[in-house]
Amino acid sequence: MSTPQESHETLADLATGVPFADRHIGPEPAELATMLDTLGVSTLDELADRVLPPAIRDESPAGASLPAAAGEADMLAELRAMAARNTVTVPMIGLGYSGTRTPSVIRRNVLENPAWYTAYTPYQPEISQGRLEALLAFQTMVSDLTGLPVAGASLLDEATAAAEAMTLLRRAGRSKSARFVVDADTLPQTLEVLRTRAEPLGIELVVADLSGGELPDGEFYGVLLAYPGASGRVADPSSLIAAAHERGALVAVAADLLALTLLTPPGELGADAAVGSTQRFGVPLGFGGPHAAYLAVGQRQARQLPGRLVGVSRDADGHYALRLALQTREQHIRREKATSNICTAQVLLAVMAACYAVHHGPDGLARIARRTHRMAAVLAAGLRDGGVEIVHDDFFDTVLARVPGRADAVVAAAHDAGIALRRVSADEVGVATSEITTVEHLRAVWSAFGVTEPDVAALDRDTPDALPGALHRTSDYLTHPTFHEFRSETSLMRWLRRLADADLALDRTMIPLGSCTMKLNAAAEMEAVTWPEFSDLHPFAPEADTAGTRELIGQLETWLADLTGYAAVSLQPNAGSQGELAGLLAIAAYHRSRGDDERDVCLIPASAHGTNAASAIMAGLRVVVVGTDTDGNVDLGDLRAKIDEHGDRLAALMITYPSTHGVYEAAVREVCGAVHDAGGQVYVDGANLNALVGLARPGAFGGDVSHLNLHKTFCIPHGGGGPGVGPVAVAEHLAPFLPGREPRDDGGVGAVSAARYGSPGVLPISWAYLRMMGLDGLRRATLTAVAAANYVATRLTPYYPVLYTGAGGAVAHECILDLRGITRDTGVTVDDVAKRLIDHGIHAPTMSFPVAGTLMVEPTESENLPEIERFVAAMISIKREIDRVAAGEWPAEDNPLRNAPHTAACLADDKWDHPYPRELAAYPTGVAPGVHDRKVWPPVRRIDGAHGDRNLVCSCPSPEAFA
């Protein structure tokens, strides 16, 4: 007879692993209880009731499409199943996207290394010297290969880089014309983006066949030439450049960097600018992105360059140091006077491309280029011998073949052999070779064309190159020692480690940047990024080959629409700034479709992100600033006055929610209602969506359109300043105006980025995050982030005033510490505090945004209580040092704050004549015996930014410069 057994754990109780949300969210239950107790609440729900205005709350927020949270293993199994639905072929389509090999040393030490992918934009240059040095190598690489002296630190993709060049030439030139001539042989995706960007700016795009060497009649301010063209044709553009200059126009050249190792560079041909992609320098195809584009210009245009520019300066001891140069061009400062809305670069991808050039060196790059070209030349010769007409005699890597009526059959036969070719028309097929092309691939292509396989060795021996002799490059490039010293894997690995050690990223410390949301980028989320089934897809691959990725994209779009309360989402914008532009273009197109052509005013609160104003200008709107009240909210009186003033001309209001001041504005529905009553649309900037997910939806409380920052709320890493992804979400009435891939004749919005889905190569990250968190996990993450921000604000209020609070004295997910009184009374500035935090081994919060003289702090949900307390303790320690300055114990110009950060070299110097001890400089809070030392030694002292701007040097200086 059996006897009762003691109760035991069931299989359900022993489910494998801790739920992912418990790993993502930093505070343990006991730590969270401590934080909530400090705030005077007992649960996260009680906190939500205190901080969130009832008017925006969703009692049962949408999210039904999002399945229950999956564990890591189950999530990865689902991703594997989707990946298996993709068919990876040999990419010979071309059109600006090439097969490439990412050297394993770069993939492992950069792409898969959190020291690189979790870093932020290098706004604190003293702890960003590593990524700045890598970007300087990128700029040098681009400058050398294009023959132009100044190159930026990367742009979003080739198409948007061409659009930036289009507006740069207009600013830099003297012509009053609004016409811009574009070579008809330009990449089709570039043409589409140029059309989208030109129309709202009043630029007349003239697409012309320039193969005859003649420019169109009439005036024009600029020209864009293709070198080589989309068809593969290589022609000498020097006569067209000279003719354009004679007519008062400036010229940009869209050039293939690998081809420029063999071809005369644009700068030597007289071009004023050059644009292109660095994708084929070791960056995976990723179904179209992310890839780092480049823009290089002449010295005269250097100060017109959009985006980021790394410059050489010096630190407080006169030593070589790097920083972002000419930062007054940043949109957060210039706002509606900005000439571009670019806020995100493609830093991680630019670093990979630079490392690829360092890894191969000039000789290696030239060898890859020569091999790529030989493959194309031999391919073309074999086709000719087989009776196939080759359209162009001169080409680099793309062969255009004419096969009357047979194009579809040829492309299908090649696909059956595992090779993707480009169907140009029913009569023409394009074939592009690359670094990964083999002779076996050539044999398969010949067979697809119905050509009998030739004697390859004889063909190779007897076939001349197909590059014009007059264009053979004779100038040197990549002569700097950086491109010669790290050729072995050992040396390259150590160089990359040295650079990483000169940086401070999320893998070493919290980065409490307000508005930037530097939270965990989990390894499981990152894993699929390098799977070949996702990373090796060409963006123009047949749809049947991309079913898995498109399934992932469709699910992600549905989940994001559901979570935000909108009807539709486009993932095409490849940065938050481009999402802003797409949303505003949708609003403008909607008004036009209703006959409201006069609606051109965009109201923007004074507290808004600077990119808002820049994007509005680019969308053809006029910016009118709305004031904020003493609590940091939109001033309702001023809003109503501006609405009354502009009446039927009101197109939109842009509002960030929670506000850029870190407050849940109680009157947001009233604000939205006032705009709607006047016939305008409401753009809710999604930069702070991580304070809403699971609690409230902008599409439900009044928004018509929002952009979402997947690199903030949804865990795509910042990568040192990119990649970013900025989808645009819209209400149903705006869905027809989402950005499209083809030119639109129905009043809709064309493409805003080169690839149909923007940067799909990193979308598995956000998909994985949502799949593992589930709605409950997302809601808990949001409230934990709010709890952390309020905890920091509560702990630091006795030391630093919190500038803005909402109902009940609470903040949202970030808080602004006001140092203006401290600066007035003591001379200690936000810069001093930020640099002193480096001595504590902590990255500074956001400085002087949105209010000058303040620090905006966002701890996120990912940091546990000990790490939050480490930041709090550092800020309290700094306040005590400020008090000693105030008391006259230390001079205002000679104290640990003003001299921060302190390097090991300055502390080891025999000369020490400061009124505070070395030990205090190095270890502000002391190091107790037996306690782990998390000391961060910055490689340089405080950098003299003004010196770097006055003496602009934007490529690697010669070794003699350090003598």
Side-chain angles (χ1 to χ4, degrees):
M1 182 176 178
S2 62
T3 58
Q5 297 182 5
E6 295 181 5
S7 62
H8 62 272
E9 294 175 297
T10 67
L11 290 175
D13 296 327
L14 297 169
T16 303
V18 175
F20 174 77
D22 291 352
R23 300 289 192 193
H24 173 82
I25 296 172
E28 297 288 334
E31 296 172 2
L32 182 60
T34 298
M35 295 164 63
L36 294 175
D37 183 63
T38 301
L39 301 178
V41 296
S42 55
T43 66
L44 287 174
D45 287 335
E46 189 178 341
L47 177 66
D49 291 338
R50 174 186 291 184
V51 302
L52 256 77
I56 72 165
R57 289 286 295 274
D58 278 348
E59 293 305 320
S60 53
S65 65
L66 187 63
E72 288 188 14
D74 291 339
M75 178 278 295
L76 289 171
E78 290 182 31
L79 270 181
R80 281 289 184 194
M82 280 192 281
R85 297 187 60 206
N86 290 334
T87 299
V88 178
T89 55
V90 177
M92 301 186 77
I93 296 172
L95 288 181
Y97 301 97
S98 302
T100 186
R101 292 189 178 91
T102 306
S104 298
V105 63
I106 297 173
R107 185 181 66 247
R108 176 63 60 89
N109 290 286
V110 178
L111 179 59
E112 299 176 345
N113 185 348
W116 287 96
Y117 68 70
T118 69
Y120 185 60
T121 303
Y123 290 135
Q124 294 293 332
E126 294 83 1
I127 45 174
S128 307
Q129 291 296 293
R131 78 200 87 134
L132 287 167
E133 183 173 334
L135 290 175
L136 193 68
F138 175 87
Q139 293 179 178
T140 304
M141 171 189 82
V142 171
S143 178
D144 280 9
L145 289 173
T146 61
L148 290 160
V150 181
S154 80
L155 291 174
L156 300 173
D157 59 29
E158 181 167 351
T160 54
E164 295 292 342
M166 175 177 69
T167 55
L168 180 149
L169 297 185
R170 193 181 193 187
R171 295 191 305 271
R174 296 181 179 179
S175 172
K176 302 301 183 184
S177 171
R179 298 174 78 220
F180 185 65
V181 176
V182 183
D183 188 345
D185 205 12
T186 298
L187 296 171
Q189 64 269 26
T190 297
L191 283 172
E192 291 168 18
V193 172
L194 288 174
R195 289 189 179 101
T196 301
R197 295 277 287 268
E199 190 271 335
L201 296 176
I203 295 173
E204 179 187 347
L205 217 61
V206 179
V207 180
D209 181 355
L210 304 179
S211 60
E214 297 292 331
L215 292 167
D217 293 334
E219 293 185 348
F220 44 86
Y221 75 85
V223 180
L224 177 67
L225 303 175
Y227 182 64
S231 67
R233 174 177 174 268
V234 174
D236 187 344
S238 55
S239 60
L240 285 169
I241 294 171
H245 286 163
E246 287 177 6
R247 294 168 65 176
L250 300 179
V251 181
V253 172
D256 180 334
L257 276 193
L258 189 66
L260 295 184
T261 65
L262 306 180
L263 294 172
T264 302
E268 294 179 21
L269 296 170
D272 304 288
V275 300
S277 172
T278 61
Q279 177 270 316
R280 70 189 310 166
F281 279 32
V283 180
L285 288 164
F287 199 34
H291 307 138
Y294 73 84
L295 172 54
V297 296
Q299 200 69 51
R300 290 183 178 180
Q301 291 81 36
R303 294 176 187 269
Q304 300 283 350
L305 198 67
R308 297 175 187 155
L309 184 67
V310 176
V312 178
S313 189
R314 62 189 182 192
D315 73 358
D317 292 330
H319 298 147
Y320 165 91
L322 306 174
R323 67 181 284 275
L324 292 181
L326 304 177
Q327 283 185 302
T328 53
R329 297 172 308 158
E330 287 294 328
Q331 291 72 26
H332 290 298
I333 300 169
R334 298 194 67 185
R335 300 175 65 81
E336 67 270 15
K337 294 183 176 63
T339 53
S340 165
N341 72 342
I342 290 295
C343 187
T344 304
Q346 296 283 27
V347 171
L348 188 65
L349 301 315
V351 169
M352 290 179 64
C355 290
Y356 182 90
V358 170
H359 175 74
H360 289 290
D363 295 340
L365 290 182
R367 186 166 55 251
I368 293 169
R370 290 195 303 271
R371 183 181 180 278
T372 297
H373 177 64
R374 286 303 301 160
M375 286 287 180
V378 170
L379 172 69
L383 291 173
R384 281 196 194 96
D385 288 353
V388 176
E389 179 185 355
I390 302 303
V391 176
H392 302 305
D393 293 329
D394 297 329
F395 51 83
F396 168 61
D397 67 347
T398 298
V399 176
L400 185 61
R402 184 167 288 129
V403 284
R406 290 201 305 124
D408 290 323
V410 170
V411 171
H415 190 268
D416 289 342
I419 294 175
L421 306 182
R422 178 192 176 200
R423 180 194 186 276
V424 179
S425 69
D427 303 321
E428 292 181 336
V429 175
V431 188
T433 57
S434 69
E435 176 184 12
I436 67 171
T437 304
T438 67
V439 171
E440 289 306 312
H441 298 151
L442 301 189
R443 291 190 174 108
V445 172
W446 285 321
S447 176
F449 275 89
V451 170
T452 302
E453 182 181 322
D455 181 339
V456 178
L459 199 65
D460 185 18
R461 183 183 62 244
D462 299 336
T463 300
D465 285 346
L467 294 176
L471 290 176
H472 284 187
R473 180 165 190 152
T474 58
S475 57
D476 291 334
Y477 51 90
L478 305 188
T479 58
H480 193 273
T482 295
F483 300 100
H484 297 265
E485 292 180 353
F486 309 113
R487 204 58 53 78
S488 74
E489 179 163 335
T490 304
S491 60
L492 182 60
M493 174 182 67
R494 289 173 180 160
W495 181 63
L496 290 171
R497 176 56 187 264
R498 177 178 68 77
L499 297 188
D501 285 347
D503 279 9
L504 195 62
L506 203 65
D507 63 330
R508 299 176 71 184
T509 180
M510 77 181 297
I511 302 181
L513 285 158
S515 189
C516 297
T517 319
M518 296 294 294
K519 63 184 183 180
L520 173 69
N521 315 118
E525 297 161 8
M526 302 289 294
E527 193 161 329
V529 167
T530 54
W531 292 354
E533 298 90 342
F534 290 131
S535 67
D536 289 352
L537 289 180
H538 193 286
F540 298 119
E543 287 210 349
D545 291 354
T546 63
T549 292
R550 288 186 292 106
E551 178 187 7
L552 182 151
I553 289 169
Q555 288 185 6
L556 185 55
E557 288 177 338
T558 299
W559 295 347
L560 293 174
D562 208 359
L563 289 167
T564 55
Y566 288 109
V569 169
S570 168
L571 289 165
Q572 189 181 107
N574 52 9
S577 58
Q578 305 310 293
E580 287 180 8
L581 178 61
L584 291 168
L585 290 173
I587 288 173
Y590 168 75
H591 286 311
R592 285 197 303 271
S593 75
R594 294 160 53 86
D596 284 344
D597 294 356
E598 299 302 312
R599 291 190 179 272
D600 64 348
V601 170
C602 184
L603 302 179
I604 299 180
S607 63
H609 287 85
T611 53
N612 286 178
S615 295
I617 296 298
M618 292 173 62
L621 302 175
R622 292 190 294 125
V623 172
V624 174
V625 177
V626 177
T628 53
D629 63 23
T630 55
D631 294 323
N633 303 313
V634 172
D635 186 322
L636 294 178
D638 191 41
L639 173 67
R640 293 190 185 98
K642 296 289 172 57
I643 290 175
D644 291 342
E645 177 185 353
H646 297 285
D648 293 341
R649 299 195 72 94
L650 177 62
L653 165 78
M654 297 187 81
I655 182 173
T656 302
Y657 201 86
S659 76
T660 311
H661 288 155
V663 176
Y664 291 106
E665 298 191 34
V668 65
R669 279 188 180 271
E670 186 177 347
V671 169
C672 296
V675 174
H676 287 149
D677 289 346
Q681 297 285 286
V682 176
Y683 183 109
V684 179
D685 186 313
N688 294 336
L689 187 70
N690 53 305
L692 296 176
V693 176
L695 301 175
R697 295 172 295 149
F701 62 67
D704 299 293
V705 56
S706 293
H707 87 271
L708 321 175
N709 293 74
L710 299 194
H711 50 290
K712 292 162 71 169
T713 302
F714 299 106
C715 290
I716 289 176
H718 286 255
V725 180
V728 59
V730 297
E732 187 171 359
H733 64 283
L734 292 180
F737 306 102
L738 285 172
R741 274 289 293 129
E742 303 297 334
R744 303 284 290 273
D745 297 323
D746 59 357
V749 176
V752 295
S753 67
R756 180 178 181 181
Y757 300 108
S759 293
V762 292
L763 294 181
I765 300 170
S766 295
W767 185 94
Y769 172 69
L770 290 171
R771 186 66 186 89
M772 291 190 292
M773 288 292 281
L775 185 59
D776 290 342
L778 292 171
R779 184 177 185 276
R780 183 154 62 96
T782 299
L783 284 172
T784 304
V786 173
N790 279 278
Y791 180 80
V792 169
T794 300
R795 292 278 284 114
L796 290 179
T797 292
Y799 307 93
Y800 306 91
V802 173
L803 185 56
Y804 296 117
T805 58
V811 299
H813 62 304
E814 59 194 8
C815 61
I816 298 176
L817 305 179
D818 191 354
L819 275 70
R820 291 174 296 180
I822 288 173
T823 301
R824 182 180 60 249
D825 295 340
T826 69
V828 175
T829 67
V830 287
D831 289 80
D832 296 333
V833 174
K835 305 313 178 186
R836 187 59 168 150
L837 277 169
I838 296 173
D839 289 331
H840 287 263
I842 296 175
H843 197 291
T846 302
M847 295 195 317
S848 292
F849 175 81
V851 179
T854 66
L855 292 172
M856 185 159 60
V857 183
E858 182 178 357
T860 82
E861 73 273 15
S862 296
E863 301 297 345
N864 62 16
L865 185 56
E867 187 70 3
I868 293 172
E869 280 293 347
R870 193 167 79 91
F871 170 73
V872 168
M875 291 299 293
I876 293 173
S877 170
I878 288 171
K879 180 56 169 64
R880 289 173 179 154
E881 292 182 345
I882 293 171
D883 291 342
R884 295 173 75 174
V885 175
E889 184 177 343
W890 295 325
E893 298 302 320
D894 189 5
N895 57 69
L897 298 134
R898 184 57 51 86
N899 295 328
H902 297 84
T903 61
C906 83
L907 293 168
D909 196 310
D910 290 340
K911 180 182 178 183
W912 184 267
D913 54 7
H914 302 294
Y916 56 94
R918 300 174 198 254
E919 292 80 8
L920 180 68
Y923 296 99
T925 56
V927 180
V931 175
H932 175 60
D933 180 11
R934 295 180 61 176
K935 177 65 186 173
V936 171
W937 291 107
V940 297
R941 294 190 62 203
R942 195 174 309 194
I943 295 173
D944 184 343
H947 172 84
D949 287 349
R950 286 193 305 268
N951 305 277
L952 195 60
V953 177
C954 302
S955 57
C956 296
S958 66
E960 291 74 24
F962 303 100

